[in-house]
Coordinates of all heavy atoms in Angstrom, one line a residue:
V1 N 2.5 112.0 -122.4 CA 3.5 112.8 -121.6 C 4.9 112.6 -122.2 O 5.4 111.5 -122.4 CB 3.6 112.2 -120.2 CG1 4.6 113.0 -119.4 CG2 2.2 112.4 -119.5
N2 N 5.5 113.7 -122.6 CA 6.8 113.7 -123.2 C 8.0 113.9 -122.2 O 9.1 113.6 -122.5 CB 6.9 114.8 -124.3 CG 6.1 114.5 -125.5 OD1 5.6 113.4 -125.7 ND2 6.0 115.5 -126.4
G3 N 7.6 114.5 -121.1 CA 8.6 114.8 -120.1 C 8.0 115.0 -118.7 O 6.9 115.4 -118.7
V4 N 8.8 114.8 -117.6 CA 8.3 115.1 -116.3 C 9.4 115.9 -115.6 O 10.5 115.6 -115.5 CB 8.1 113.7 -115.5 CG1 7.7 114.0 -114.1 CG2 7.1 112.8 -116.2
Y5 N 8.9 117.0 -115.0 CA 9.8 118.0 -114.5 C 9.3 118.6 -113.2 O 8.1 118.5 -112.9 CB 10.1 119.2 -115.5 CG 10.5 118.7 -116.8 CD1 9.6 118.7 -117.9 CD2 11.8 118.2 -117.1 CE1 9.9 118.3 -119.2 CE2 12.1 117.7 -118.3 CZ 11.2 117.7 -119.4 OH 11.5 117.3 -120.6
D6 N 10.2 119.2 -112.4 CA 9.8 120.1 -111.2 C 9.0 119.2 -110.2 O 8.0 119.8 -109.6 CB 8.9 121.3 -111.7 CG 9.7 122.1 -112.7 OD1 10.9 122.2 -112.6 OD2 9.0 122.7 -113.6
L7 N 9.3 118.0 -110.0 CA 8.7 117.2 -109.0 C 9.0 117.7 -107.6 O 10.2 117.7 -107.2 CB 9.0 115.7 -109.1 CG 8.4 114.8 -108.1 CD1 6.9 114.8 -108.2 CD2 8.9 113.3 -108.3
V8 N 8.1 118.1 -106.9 CA 8.2 118.6 -105.5 C 7.3 117.8 -104.6 O 6.1 117.7 -104.8 CB 7.9 120.1 -105.4 CG1 8.0 120.6 -103.9 CG2 8.8 121.0 -106.3
L9 N 7.9 117.2 -103.6 CA 7.2 116.5 -102.6 C 7.3 117.1 -101.2 O 8.4 117.4 -100.7 CB 7.7 115.0 -102.5 CG 7.5 114.2 -103.8 CD1 7.9 112.7 -103.5 CD2 6.0 114.2 -104.2
N10 N 6.2 117.3 -100.5 CA 6.2 117.8 -99.2 C 6.0 116.7 -98.2 O 5.0 115.9 -98.4 CB 5.1 118.9 -99.0 CG 5.3 120.1 -99.9 OD1 6.4 120.6 -100.0 ND2 4.2 120.4 -100.7
D11 N 6.9 116.6 -97.3 CA 6.9 115.5 -96.3 C 6.0 115.8 -95.1 O 6.3 116.7 -94.3 CB 8.4 115.2 -95.9 CG 8.5 114.0 -95.0 OD1 7.5 113.5 -94.5 OD2 9.6 113.7 -94.7
Y12 N 4.9 115.1 -94.9 CA 4.1 115.3 -93.8 C 4.2 114.2 -92.8 O 3.2 113.9 -92.0 CB 2.6 115.5 -94.3 CG 2.4 116.8 -95.0 CD1 2.4 116.8 -96.4 CD2 2.3 118.0 -94.3 CE1 2.2 118.0 -97.0 CE2 2.1 119.2 -95.0 CZ 2.1 119.2 -96.3 OH 1.9 120.4 -97.0
G13 N 5.3 113.5 -92.8 CA 5.5 112.4 -91.9 C 6.0 111.2 -92.7 O 5.9 111.2 -93.9
P14 N 6.5 110.2 -92.0 CA 7.0 109.0 -92.7 C 5.9 108.4 -93.7 O 4.8 108.2 -93.3 CB 7.3 108.0 -91.6 CG 7.6 108.9 -90.5 CD 6.7 110.0 -90.6
D15 N 6.3 108.2 -94.9 CA 5.4 107.6 -96.0 C 4.1 108.4 -96.1 O 3.0 107.9 -96.5 CB 5.1 106.1 -95.6 CG 4.6 105.3 -96.8 OD1 5.1 105.7 -97.9 OD2 3.8 104.4 -96.6
S16 N 4.2 109.8 -95.9 CA 3.1 110.6 -96.2 C 3.5 111.8 -96.9 O 4.1 112.8 -96.4 CB 2.5 111.0 -94.8 OG 1.4 111.9 -95.0
F17 N 3.3 111.8 -98.2 CA 3.8 112.9 -99.1 C 2.7 113.4 -100.0 O 1.8 112.7 -100.4 CB 4.9 112.3 -100.1 CG 6.1 111.9 -99.4 CD1 6.3 110.5 -99.1 CD2 7.1 112.8 -99.2 CE1 7.5 110.1 -98.5 CE2 8.3 112.4 -98.6 CZ 8.5 111.1 -98.2
Q18 N 2.7 114.8 -100.2 CA 1.9 115.5 -101.1 C 2.8 116.4 -101.9 O 3.8 116.9 -101.4 CB 0.8 116.2 -100.4 CG -0.3 115.4 -99.7 CD -1.4 116.1 -99.2 OE1 -1.8 117.2 -99.8 NE2 -2.2 115.7 -98.2
G19 N 2.4 116.6 -103.1 CA 3.3 117.5 -103.9 C 2.7 117.9 -105.2 O 1.5 117.8 -105.5
S20 N 3.6 118.3 -106.1 CA 3.3 118.8 -107.4 C 4.3 118.4 -108.5 O 5.4 118.0 -108.1 CB 3.1 120.3 -107.4 OG 4.3 120.9 -107.1
V21 N 3.9 118.5 -109.7 CA 4.8 118.1 -110.8 C 4.4 118.8 -112.1 O 3.2 119.3 -112.2 CB 4.8 116.6 -111.0 CG1 3.5 116.1 -111.6 CG2 5.9 116.1 -111.9
H22 N 5.3 119.0 -113.0 CA 5.0 119.5 -114.3 C 5.2 118.4 -115.3 O 6.1 117.7 -115.3 CB 5.9 120.7 -114.7 CG 5.5 122.1 -114.2 ND1 6.0 122.6 -113.1 CD2 4.6 122.9 -114.7 CE1 5.4 123.8 -112.8 NE2 4.5 124.0 -113.8
I23 N 4.2 118.4 -116.3 CA 4.4 117.4 -117.4 C 4.4 118.1 -118.7 O 3.9 119.2 -118.8 CB 3.2 116.4 -117.4 CG1 1.8 117.1 -117.5 CG2 3.2 115.5 -116.2 CD1 0.6 116.2 -117.7
E24 N 5.2 117.6 -119.7 CA 5.3 118.2 -121.0 C 4.4 117.4 -121.9 O 4.6 116.2 -122.1 CB 6.8 118.1 -121.4 CG 7.1 119.1 -122.5 CD 8.6 119.1 -122.7 OE1 9.2 118.1 -123.0 OE2 9.2 120.2 -122.6
V25 N 3.5 118.1 -122.6 CA 2.6 117.5 -123.5 C 2.6 118.2 -124.9 O 3.0 119.3 -124.9 CB 1.1 117.5 -122.9 CG1 1.1 116.7 -121.6 CG2 0.6 118.8 -122.7
P26 N 2.2 117.5 -125.9 CA 2.1 118.1 -127.2 C 1.1 119.3 -127.2 O 0.1 119.4 -126.5 CB 1.5 117.0 -128.1 CG 1.8 115.7 -127.4 CD 1.7 116.1 -125.9
D27 N 1.5 120.3 -128.1 CA 0.6 121.5 -128.2 C -0.7 121.3 -128.9 O -1.5 122.2 -129.0 CB 1.4 122.6 -128.9 CG 1.9 122.3 -130.3 OD1 1.7 121.1 -130.6 OD2 2.6 123.1 -130.9
T28 N -0.9 120.0 -129.2 CA -2.2 119.7 -129.9 C -3.2 119.2 -128.9 O -4.4 119.0 -129.3 CB -2.0 118.6 -131.0 OG1 -1.3 117.5 -130.4 CG2 -1.1 119.1 -132.1
C29 N -2.9 119.0 -127.7 CA -3.8 118.5 -126.6 C -4.9 119.6 -126.3 O -4.6 120.8 -126.2 CB -3.1 118.2 -125.3 SG -2.1 116.7 -125.4
N30 N -6.2 119.1 -126.2 CA -7.2 120.1 -125.8 C -7.5 120.0 -124.4 O -7.0 119.1 -123.7 CB -8.5 119.8 -126.6 CG -9.0 118.4 -126.5 OD1 -9.1 117.9 -125.4 ND2 -9.5 117.8 -127.6
A31 N -8.3 120.8 -123.8 CA -8.6 120.9 -122.4 C -9.2 119.6 -121.9 O -8.9 119.1 -120.8 CB -9.5 122.0 -122.1
S32 N -10.1 118.9 -122.6 CA -10.7 117.7 -122.2 C -9.7 116.6 -122.1 O -9.7 115.8 -121.1 CB -11.8 117.3 -123.2 OG -12.4 116.1 -122.9
E33 N -8.8 116.5 -123.1 CA -7.7 115.5 -123.0 C -6.8 115.7 -121.9 O -6.4 114.7 -121.2 CB -7.0 115.5 -124.3 CG -7.8 115.0 -125.5 CD -7.0 115.2 -126.8 OE1 -6.3 116.2 -126.9 OE2 -7.2 114.4 -127.7
L34 N -6.5 116.9 -121.6 CA -5.6 117.2 -120.4 C -6.3 116.9 -119.1 O -5.6 116.3 -118.2 CB -5.2 118.7 -120.5 CG -4.1 119.1 -121.4 CD1 -4.0 120.6 -121.4 CD2 -2.8 118.4 -121.1
D35 N -7.5 117.2 -119.0 CA -8.3 116.9 -117.8 C -8.3 115.4 -117.5 O -8.0 115.0 -116.4 CB -9.7 117.5 -117.8 CG -10.5 117.1 -116.6 OD1 -10.1 117.6 -115.5 OD2 -11.5 116.5 -116.7
K36 N -8.6 114.7 -118.5 CA -8.6 113.2 -118.4 C -7.2 112.6 -118.0 O -7.1 111.8 -117.2 CB -9.1 112.6 -119.7 CG -9.2 111.1 -119.6 CD -9.8 110.6 -121.0 CE -9.9 109.0 -121.0 NZ -10.4 108.5 -122.3
L37 N -6.2 113.2 -118.7 CA -4.8 112.7 -118.4 C -4.4 113.0 -117.0 O -3.8 112.2 -116.3 CB -3.9 113.4 -119.4 CG -2.4 113.2 -119.2 CD1 -2.0 111.7 -119.4 CD2 -1.5 114.1 -120.1
I38 N -4.6 114.2 -116.5 CA -4.2 114.7 -115.2 C -4.9 113.8 -114.1 O -4.2 113.4 -113.1 CB -4.5 116.2 -115.0 CG1 -3.5 117.0 -115.8 CG2 -4.4 116.5 -113.5 CD1 -3.8 118.5 -115.9
R39 N -6.1 113.6 -114.3 CA -6.9 112.7 -113.3 C -6.3 111.3 -113.3 O -6.2 110.7 -112.2 CB -8.4 112.7 -113.7 CG -9.1 114.0 -113.4 CD -10.5 114.0 -113.9 NE -11.2 115.2 -113.8 CZ -11.8 115.6 -112.8 NH1 -12.0 114.9 -111.7 NH2 -12.4 116.9 -112.8
A40 N -6.0 110.8 -114.5 CA -5.5 109.4 -114.5 C -4.1 109.3 -113.9 O -3.8 108.4 -113.2 CB -5.4 109.0 -116.0
I41 N -3.3 110.3 -114.1 CA -1.9 110.4 -113.5 C -2.0 110.4 -112.0 O -1.3 109.7 -111.3 CB -1.1 111.6 -114.0 CG1 -0.7 111.4 -115.5 CG2 0.2 111.8 -113.2 CD1 -0.1 112.6 -116.1
T42 N -2.9 111.3 -111.5 CA -3.1 111.5 -110.0 C -3.5 110.1 -109.4 O -2.9 109.8 -108.3 CB -4.2 112.5 -109.7 OG1 -3.8 113.7 -110.4 CG2 -4.4 112.7 -108.3
L43 N -4.4 109.5 -110.0 CA -4.9 108.2 -109.4 C -3.8 107.1 -109.4 O -3.6 106.3 -108.5 CB -6.1 107.7 -110.1 CG -7.4 108.6 -109.9 CD1 -8.5 108.0 -110.8 CD2 -7.8 108.5 -108.5
K44 N -3.0 107.0 -110.5 CA -2.0 106.0 -110.7 C -0.8 106.2 -109.7 O -0.3 105.3 -109.1 CB -1.5 106.0 -112.1 CG -0.6 104.7 -112.4 CD -0.4 104.5 -113.9 CE 0.4 103.2 -114.1 NZ 0.6 102.9 -115.5
V45 N -0.4 107.5 -109.6 CA 0.7 107.8 -108.7 C 0.3 107.5 -107.2 O 1.1 106.9 -106.4 CB 1.2 109.2 -108.8 CG1 2.1 109.6 -107.7 CG2 1.8 109.4 -110.2
L46 N -0.9 107.8 -106.9 CA -1.4 107.5 -105.5 C -1.5 106.0 -105.3 O -1.0 105.6 -104.2 CB -2.8 108.1 -105.3 CG -3.5 107.9 -104.0 CD1 -2.7 108.4 -102.8 CD2 -4.9 108.5 -104.0
A47 N -2.0 105.3 -106.2 CA -2.1 103.8 -106.1 C -0.7 103.1 -106.0 O -0.6 102.2 -105.2 CB -2.9 103.2 -107.2
E48 N 0.2 103.6 -106.8 CA 1.5 102.9 -106.9 C 2.6 103.4 -105.9 O 3.5 102.6 -105.5 CB 2.0 102.9 -108.3 CG 1.1 102.2 -109.3 CD 1.8 102.1 -110.7 OE1 2.9 102.6 -110.8 OE2 1.1 101.6 -111.6

């Protein structure tokens, strides 16, 4: 991940957020690598 942009969080109550984000990645990434990366980011952000 080279950059993080457009982070949008929707507030569904205190300490309850869902949202979206854009990440900047090299143009050499393939679909399999992106899929693995996105899943890993989702889990880590949820956990932390």
Side-chain angles (χ1 to χ4, degrees):
V1 178
N2 291 349
V4 178
Y5 310 104
D6 306 324
L7 177 61
V8 177
L9 295 184
N10 299 310
D11 183 350
Y12 290 101
D15 203 30
S16 179
F17 293 93
Q18 293 192 26
S20 61
V21 70
H22 275 98
I23 58 173
E24 198 171 59
V25 298
D27 54 0
T28 54
C29 287
N30 59 42
S32 176
E33 291 172 326
L34 283 175
D35 178 59
K36 183 179 179 181
L37 174 64
I38 289 172
R39 290 173 186 271
I41 290 173
T42 302
L43 292 173
K44 188 166 187 179
V45 169
L46 178 60
E48 295 187 5

